Amino acid sequence: GVYNTMLWRSAGNVALGAVAWGVAGYRRPSNRAIVLHLTRGSVTCAMALLFFWGLARVPMAQSIALAYIAPILALILAAFWLKEHISLRVIVAAVAATAGIGIILAGQSQARLGHEAFVGTVAILASAILYAINIILTRMQSLAARPAETACLQSLVIVTLLVFAAPWLAVVPPTAQLLPLAGAAVLAFVSMMMLSWAYSHGEAGYLAMTEYKSFVYSAGL
């Protein structure tokens, strides 16, 4: 289930983040960093739950295509919120990507996927809006905290939020799922570390465009 996947994967992220933070050298987070950890952790929790719930009901390639509104929204938010300069090249890339999304959705609209796919699509679109906000928060967070701190504390916020529902929803994962969960935790942890480092060295509007390469991966998988 989506809840338990998120709960146990995030718990693994906390453990990995704590180790990395200790190795990098622990220091008390600034007040600004704490606010950003809490904010981004909450946004990420809602975003991921919506995306994975929708992903279970919509074909993967279509899910990724729907999620591609996020970089375009992030481009607008970066200019408005962070006062970033958006080059003509990036704008042209965003327009081309938008056209590509339209072509994909036009093709998928011919498929008879049913009501479940429709509500899944709504969930993914809502997740994409949150993801655009998350991209901006990533840039702000990466300038206020080091990657290991971010990976640990953001995951801790997610686990804390999920724990409230644990008495009703949490189950101990079956043995067969432990290895996939561990793999997902490692991949998510490495991703958070690398994204945090990247967004500390580049503007959000520019880096958001790299999201489009994931369609190649999702279509292949």
Side-chain angles (χ1 to χ4, degrees), residues 194-219:
M194 294 178 74
L195 283 172
S196 181
W197 187 91
Y199 275 90
S200 69
H201 290 77
E203 293 187 338
Y206 177 78
L207 292 176
M209 294 299 103
T210 64
E211 296 289 334
Y212 291 114
K213 70 188 183 304
S214 61
F215 184 73
V216 178
Y217 312 147
S218 64

Side-chain angles (χ1 to χ4, degrees), residues 3-221:
Y3 172 83
N4 281 285
T5 300
M6 279 283 295
L7 175 66
W8 297 111
R9 189 195 75 167
S10 299
N13 292 157
V14 173
L16 291 167
V19 171
W21 197 4
V23 171
Y26 173 81
R27 67 183 183 193
R28 184 188 179 281
S30 66
N31 291 337
R32 173 178 170 78
I34 290 173
V35 170
L36 287 168
H37 293 323
L38 290 170
T39 305
R40 188 179 168 213
S42 301
V43 169
T44 300
C45 184
M47 174 194 80
L49 286 171
L50 284 166
F51 182 77
F52 290 133
W53 190 85
L55 188 60
R57 292 159 176 79
V58 179
M60 182 181 282
Q62 182 177 340
S63 300
I64 298 298
L66 289 166
Y68 279 165
I69 67 167
I72 297 168
L73 292 175
L75 194 67
I76 298 169
L77 289 174
F80 176 76
W81 199 346
L82 302 179
K83 309 303 180 185
E84 292 183 1
H85 171 71
I86 307 301
S87 69
L88 179 61
R89 181 182 298 177
V90 173
I91 293 172
V92 170
V95 171
T98 304
I101 296 169
I103 292 169
I104 293 167
L105 294 180
Q108 290 289 344
S109 66
Q110 305 302 316
R112 297 176 179 270
L113 299 176
H115 178 71
E116 281 287 290
F118 173 76
V119 294
T121 296
V122 172
I124 290 170
L125 287 173
S127 173
I129 294 171
L130 291 177
Y131 188 50
I133 297 171
N134 184 59
I135 289 174
I136 304 302
L137 291 172
T138 300
R139 170 66 171 165
M140 298 169 67
Q141 188 183 35
S142 67
L143 296 174
R146 293 182 295 175
E149 176 190 322
T150 295
C152 180
L153 295 186
Q154 180 182 315
S155 299
L156 183 60
V157 171
I158 294 172
V159 169
T160 302
L161 291 172
L162 292 173
V163 159
F164 285 110
W168 300 276
L169 299 177
V171 296
V172 177
T175 304
Q177 295 300 322
L178 293 179
L179 187 59
L181 281 170
V186 170
L187 289 170
F189 167 73
V190 173
S191 173
M192 280 190 285
M193 293 281 285
M194 294 178 74
L195 283 172
S196 181
W197 187 91
Y199 275 90
S200 69
H201 290 77
E203 293 187 338
Y206 177 78
L207 292 176
M209 294 299 103
T210 64
E211 296 289 334
Y212 291 114
K213 70 188 183 304
S214 61
F215 184 73
V216 178
Y217 312 147
S218 64
L221 291 170

